[in-house]
Amino acid sequence: MSDRVLPDVTAESIKVIAESAGIGQLPDEAAAALAEDATYRLKQITQEAVKFMHHGKRRKLSTADFDNALKLKNVEPLYGFHAEEHIPFRFASGGGRELHFYEEKEVELGDIINAPLPRIPLDVNLKAHWLAIEGVQPSIPENPPPVPKEDQHAADRPPGVTAKPSGKDGTKPAGKPGKAEVKGLPSEVAGVKLKPVLTHELSVEQQLYYREITEACVGSCESRRAEALQSLATDPGLHQMIPRFSTFVCEGVRVNVVQSNLALLIYLMRMVKALMDNTTLHLEKYLHEVIPAVATCILSKQLCQRPDVDNHWALRDFAARLMGNMCRNFSSNINNIQSRMTKTYTKILHDEQSHLATRYGALAGLAEMGHDVVKSLLIPKLKEEGEKVKMLMEGPVHNSVDKTAAEHIRALLLKHCAPVLAKIRPGPDNQEQYKTDFGHLGPLLCAHVVKARQQQQQQQLQATTTTAAAASVVQRPTLQIPQVRVLA
Amino acid sequence: MADPNRTVVVTDGSNDASAVSGAAAGVQSSPKGEKGAGTDPSKMDQQTLAAVLQFLKNNKLRDAEAALRREAKLPDGNGDSGGSSRVATSGEVSLVLSAYESEGDLARYCEYYNSLSSFIESSLDAHKHELGCLLYPVFIHMYLQLVYNRHEKEAHKFFNRFSVEQEDWHQEDLRTLSTVKTREQMEGNDLMDTFRSSKFVLRMSRDSYQSLRRYLKQNEHRELLSILQDHLFIDVFDGVPRNREQVQATSGAMMGEARRDANKVKVLYGLPKEPDINVPLDDDDEGVEGEDKPKKKKQKKDLLLNKNKKADPNAPPPSRIPLPELKDADKLEKVLSWKEGLKRVPLGRENLPSICFYTLANAYQNVSAVGVSEDSSLLAAGFEDSNVRVWSLSPQRLRTMRNASELDQLDKEADDIVERMMDEKTAADSWLLHGHTGPVYSTSFSPDREQLLTSSEDGTVRLWSLHTYSNLVVYKGHNYPVWDVQFSPTGYYFVSGGHDRVARLWGTDQFQPIRMFVGHYSDVTCIQYHPNSNYVATGSSDRTVRLWDVLNGNCVRVMTGHKAAVHTLAWSPDGRYLASAGVDKNVLLWDIAYGRLLAEMKGHTDPIYSLCFSREGSILASGGIDNTVKIWDVQKVFEEIAGSDDLTSLDRASLVEVGSLLLGSFQTKATPVLKLHFSHRNLLLGCGRYQHS
C-alpha cells in the first residue's frame, strides 16, 4: 500500500530544488538520503495537519492546517500571504528536463496601492429556522427539498420515507407536508406484493398556496404574477403539487385555445417556464400533459381573436423555445421527445394545405431545436419556403393576414438560418451565389449572413477582452514571499 | 499517578510529548521490564533529568538547560557538547529501542508470520477470531524489529506483503508506520514511542489461549515468543470464546483492548441528592399568576419532594469533591430550570423533537467550535481566525456592566440591583472577543453564564467575563493545541485536553492545574464532565474513551471500540450512560457501571461532531459534517438491558440488537451540524455555519 497511496519525493526533485537554491552538483547519495528524509517529514507533517482539519470540523485540508502542523513540530511555519485555494502546478519541458512549477506573477505594488478597496465583507450573523417540527421537516426555503430530485423518479417508493414518524395513530393533524397516505389495499396479499395506491393529499396550506398561485398566474395584476412565477421557479417543496399544476396548464390551454384567449395562453406558458426553471422539480413524469399543451400553443391555427392585429407570433416563438428546452432537458432514448416533435413539425411543412400560422409554428419549433436541426431540416427548405413567401407577398390576391404571416415567416427564417449559415458556409458571401442556392430569400439572406459574420467576430473579440478583464478583476493581487516550489 | 506533584514537575519540564509518555510510563510502573519496574527512584530521576536536559538542548534552550544543570548539580555540559551529549543521546536511544535488538534470523520473519496466520486460519472457528487479534501487533513489532535492525529492504517487503491483510481500521496507523523506514526515523515518532513503551492488550478466553500455547510449543519460533512476551499483554478470561462481532465491537483502539482489571473499580455514577432550596421568591411569583396555578405548584412541590427523597445508592457522598457553595443566584437558577422542566415535552419513539437550527451566515472564516449555555440563552462560536463571538439566543440583548464610578453611585440595597448594574447603552446582539492567536477549538459557558472558557491552537485556555466582555485569565500549561475545554456542571472547576495527551483539571482561580489525567496514547480530543462533577470522560485519537476520577486522578474506565478518533461525548442525564462518536461515523453507547459497550449506531456518512441526550434521556441526537441531524431511540436500549441488569459478570460486550434505533434523520441545506443542545423544554437546538458550494 505504501507504493500505491503514498508517493515519494524523488532524488531528482531534490536535485532540482538544490539547483534552484544554488547548489550545483549534489552527489547522488546525498540527494537520495535527502529525498527519503523529506518524504518522511512531509508525510509526518501531513498526518499532523489532518488532525487540524478534523478539529476544524472540515472535509478539506487547508494550508493553514499545514502551517499549524509545522508549528506543532517546532518547524518555522511559512510566513506571508496565503492563497485561499490551491495553486495548480504548471508543467514545462525542454532540454530533456521536465519541470513542474508554480507560476508566480510579478505584481506591481503601485497597482495594489492604487486599486480601489474591496467591498467590506458582510458581518457574520445568526439566523434561526425550523429544521423539524415534531419530527416533520417543514417545506421552507431554508430546508432542502423534502424529496431529493433523484428520488422523485421512483414512483413506487414507500410512502413518507423521509422523516416518517408515527403518523398512523391519527394523533397527527392529517396531511402534513411531505407525507403521502396509504389507502385502500393492504400492501401484501398472500405473498403477492401490490403497489400501494398513492393519493397525494394536499395539506390545507398547500391547497391555499395552489389557489393563490394559480389565481395570481392568470390574474390581472402583473406584479403579483411576477411574484407567483418567482415562487414557482424557486420554491423547493413543490413536487407534491406538480401534478395539479400540470393539469391546470393542460386544461387551461385546452379551454383557452377554443376561446382564442391569447393573454391567458401566454400566462400559462410562463407558468410552464417557471416550473421548468425550478431546479428541485422533476417534470419528466408530467410531460404527457405539458407537451401537448405547449405544442398547441406553437402550432394551433388560431390563438387569438384577431389574427391580423394580435401578436400571436410572440407566443409561438416563446412556446417553441420552451419546447426546445424540454427536448434538450428531457429527451432520452426511451421517450424520443426530440425526434417525435421534429417529425410532427416536418409533417406540417410537407403538408401543402397547412395553415400559414401553423407553418410558422413548425418552422419556429424546428429553429429552436438547435443548430443541427436547422442545418439538416430548415436550410434545405429555404428555397421552397422562399418561393411560397414570394408568392404570398407579390401574388395577385392581396390578403393582409397572409401577408403578415409571410413577413413573419421570412423574418423567422432569416433570423435563425443566418447564424448557422455563417458558420457552415465558407465566405466570401456572394449575392448571386445565394440567389441560386436559396432562391427568393437569397439576397436578403446574404445580407444577414454578412451581418452575422461581423457579429460573431465582434463577439469573439469581446469574449477575449472580457475574459482578460475578468481575469484581472478576479486575480486579487496577492503578495508571495518567493520560495522554492519546484517538484519534478 | 500517586504523587501529583511529581507528575507536574515531570510534565512541565519536558514539553516533548514523547518524553512525557516515556516518563509517564515509567512513573506508572507499567510492566515495562527493561526500564521502569525494577529501577529505584533515584535512577529514575536521573533518567528523567537526562531526558529533560536532552530536550532542552535539542531545542536550543541554553539558559534553561544551564539553570537545570545548576539546580541538579550536574557538571556543565557545554564544554563537551559534541562528544558527551552524542554519547548520551545514543545511549538513551539504544536504551529505549533496545527492546528491538534481536539476533534472530530476521529474514525468516515472513515465514513466521505466515505460519502464525495459517495456524490461526486453521484453528477452530470458535477461537479463530480471538486469535486473529494477534496478527496485527505481531505484524507491527516484526516490522519494527526489521527496521530497527537495518533490514530496510526486508521490512519494506514484509510490510507490502502483509499490511493489506490487516483490518480496515488499522490502516491509519499503518500509514504512519509505513513512513518509518529507517532506524533514525524511529526516534521521535509518536506512534513508535507508544508501541515501544506500552504493551498491546489482547483479551482471549482460556481455551483460545491454550491452543495458542500449544502452537508456540510445537513450533519453536523464538522471535515470535519474545514478541509475545515483550510487547503483548494477553488478558485471559474464563468463559466462552467471543465471536467475530464481539471481537470487532471492542477492537480498534491504538493499543488494543482495555484490560479487564482496568474497569473493575466501582464508579459512583449516581446523582447526588439535590440540596434543599427554599426560595420564597418563587412562591410570590406563582401566587401572582392566577387561579389555575396552585395545581401546578403542587405538582412542582411533589417533584421537589421526589427528588429529595430519592437517595441514589450509586451517588458519591456530597463531600467527596469540594464543590463551590450555592449562592442565592444559583438557587434561583435551579428553581427556574425546574420550572422550565415542568413544561418539558416528553420525547420518545412516538414524539420526535422539534429542531430549531441556527445558521451562521457570512462567516468568511470557518467556524471551528460552537458552544451553547446550559439554559440555551447564549451561544458562542469560535472561528479559525482566532475570534470568538457571543450571541444572545433570547430576546435579552447582551449588555456590559457599568464602569466603576457609575457602579459606586448605585443604591446597593435596591431590589433590582443586578439589573441596574448593567449599562443599557451597550446592549448589542453579539460581542466579539479578541485574544487568541490561533483557531479556537472549543467554547464552554459557566453554569451561571457569567464566564466563558475558550481553548485554542495557541496552547492556551482563556477565561472571559461576560459582564465586561474582556479576557480575565489565560491558563498556560498545554504547550500544544488545546482541543477541548469544559466547565464542570457546578462551575469553578474545568477540564482541558489537547495534543500533549494530557487532560488537566483546573480551578478558575488557579493558574496551575489541580489534577493531570495522564494515560491516553494520543491527543485528548474531547472532554465531558460527569453530571455529578466527580468524574471526567475523555475521548482521544488513540480511539479510546477513558473515565477519570477527579478525586484521585485515577483512570477508572477504559473503553475501546471506536475505529477512529473520538470527537464528541455526551452523558445521559442520569449519569450512567455515555455516548461517544467521531471520525469513524458510528455512535457508541456505553454503560459506565461496567464499562461495557451497549449499542452501536451507524448511519452517518461523515465524521460526527456533536451528540446530545434529551433532558429525560430517552433520545440521543447526533450531528456531523454530513449536514444531518439524526435522532436515535436509546430508550429502547436502556429497556433492553434493564431486564438483564444482574449480569454484572458480563464481561463481553453483548450488543443490543440495534435494528431500528434510528428514529429520524433531518438534513440541512448546506450547513454542517457542529453543535446540538436540548433546552430545558426538550427543544433541540442545532448550530453550524452555512457553506457556500
Side-chain angles (χ1 to χ4, degrees), chain A residues 62-64 80-87 478-480 485:
Chain A
S62 76
T63 48
F81 294 82
H82 294 284
E84 273 298 306
E85 293 296 314
H86 80 290
I87 310 165
T478 50
L479 278 181
Q480 278 170 346
R485 291 209 208 79

Side-chain angles (χ1 to χ4, degrees), chain B residues 57-121:
Chain B
K57 183 176 239 108
N58 288 347
N59 285 280
K60 300 202 174 60
L61 302 163
R62 289 203 193 82
D63 290 348
E65 188 198 347
L68 188 59
R69 275 183 194 282
R70 265 202 310 282
E71 285 289 312
K73 303 191 179 64
L74 282 179
D76 190 7
N78 277 343
D80 51 354
S81 59
S84 82
S85 79
R86 182 63 44 82
V87 173
T89 326
S90 61
E92 193 72 11
V93 171
S94 67
L95 185 73
V96 151
L97 294 175
S98 58
Y100 289 116
E101 204 78 66
S102 168
E103 310 84 50
D105 192 358
L106 294 158
R108 295 183 59 199
Y109 269 18
C110 282
E111 207 177 295
Y112 294 155
Y113 186 85
N114 255 342
S115 146
L116 179 66
S117 99
S118 59
F119 153 68
I120 289 170
E121 206 49 50

Side-chain angles (χ1 to χ4, degrees), chain B residues 190-397:
Chain B
D190 295 347
L191 187 67
M192 226 45 40
D193 289 329
T194 310
F195 272 118
R196 68 158 165 68
S197 65
S198 328
K199 289 193 171 189
F200 196 95
V201 182
L202 291 168
R203 284 162 75 175
M204 57 174 74
S205 65
R206 192 163 295 284
D207 294 350
S208 307
Y209 186 60
Q210 294 296 354
S211 82
L212 175 66
R213 283 185 54 176
R214 268 200 302 282
Y215 162 75
L216 290 172
K217 230 175 228 167
Q218 276 168 16
N219 311 273
E220 293 200 341
H221 299 325
R222 220 164 44 78
E223 285 73 21
L224 198 57
L225 206 61
S226 75
I227 286 180
L228 289 184
Q229 273 167 357
D230 294 345
H231 302 290
L232 264 65
F233 180 88
I234 300 180
D235 200 351
V236 180
F237 65 86
D238 293 302
V240 191
R242 298 179 296 172
N243 61 22
R244 182 180 165 76
E245 283 71 35
Q246 286 167 330
V247 169
Q248 278 197 351
T250 54
S251 61
M254 191 184 272
M255 294 310 294
E257 298 174 64
R259 294 172 189 225
R260 211 158 17 127
D261 52 0
N263 291 338
K264 282 286 182 235
V265 187
K266 186 172 166 57
V267 173
L268 304 167
Y269 56 80
L271 298 185
K273 217 170 72 167
E274 291 289 344
D276 288 323
I277 298 174
N278 293 313
V279 184
L281 205 143
D282 171 45
D283 283 341
D284 298 347
D285 219 31
E286 291 278 340
V288 180
E289 286 191 330
E291 296 295 301
D292 55 341
K293 292 295 164 188
K295 203 172 137 202
K296 238 185 188 173
K297 198 163 85 186
K298 202 167 163 225
Q299 245 179 12
K300 185 177 68 92
K301 278 272 159 64
D302 286 349
L303 191 87
L304 286 177
L305 284 175
N306 276 343
K307 280 214 171 189
N308 286 344
K309 255 190 281 176
K310 206 169 41 181
D312 195 328
N314 291 312
S319 56
R320 192 166 180 265
I321 302 284
L323 294 174
E325 286 267 323
L326 280 183
K327 287 176 286 186
D328 281 354
D330 298 330
K331 289 179 183 167
L332 188 66
E333 177 80 29
K334 272 197 187 296
V335 172
L336 287 179
S337 67
W338 274 333
K339 270 168 76 180
E340 277 290 301
L342 288 177
K343 298 174 193 161
R344 178 187 301 160
V345 189
L347 295 181
R349 184 159 270 277
E350 301 295 314
N351 301 311
L352 291 188
S354 299
I355 309 172
C356 179
F357 203 89
Y358 290 93
T359 310
L360 289 159
N362 305 331
Y364 67 99
Q365 271 285 349
N366 191 40
V367 178
S368 43
V370 178
V372 178
S373 70
E374 171 65 14
D375 71 338
S376 324
S377 66
L378 294 171
L379 183 143
F383 293 83
E384 293 211 323
D385 61 358
S386 58
N387 284 330
V388 177
R389 208 183 252 270
V390 182
W391 277 273
S392 168
L393 299 183
S394 63
Q396 174 73 61
R397 302 181 82 199

Side-chain angles (χ1 to χ4, degrees), chain A residues 45 56 134 139 168 177 187 236 259 305 364 406 416 429 450 464 469 476:
Chain A
I45 288 168
E134 290 177 3
S139 312
K168 272 161 203 132
S187 57
Q259 294 178 352
Q305 304 279 1
H416 284 103
D429 302 305
V450 171
T464 48
R476 283 257 307 282

Side-chain angles (χ1 to χ4, degrees), chain B residues 152-170:
Chain B
E152 281 95 2
K153 279 220 180 76
E154 284 88 345
H156 191 69
K157 224 159 59 193
F158 180 74
F159 192 91
N160 282 345
R161 181 156 164 206
F162 296 115
S163 66
V164 280
E165 294 176 9
Q166 310 300 329
E167 302 278 2
D168 289 343
W169 57 83
H170 291 310

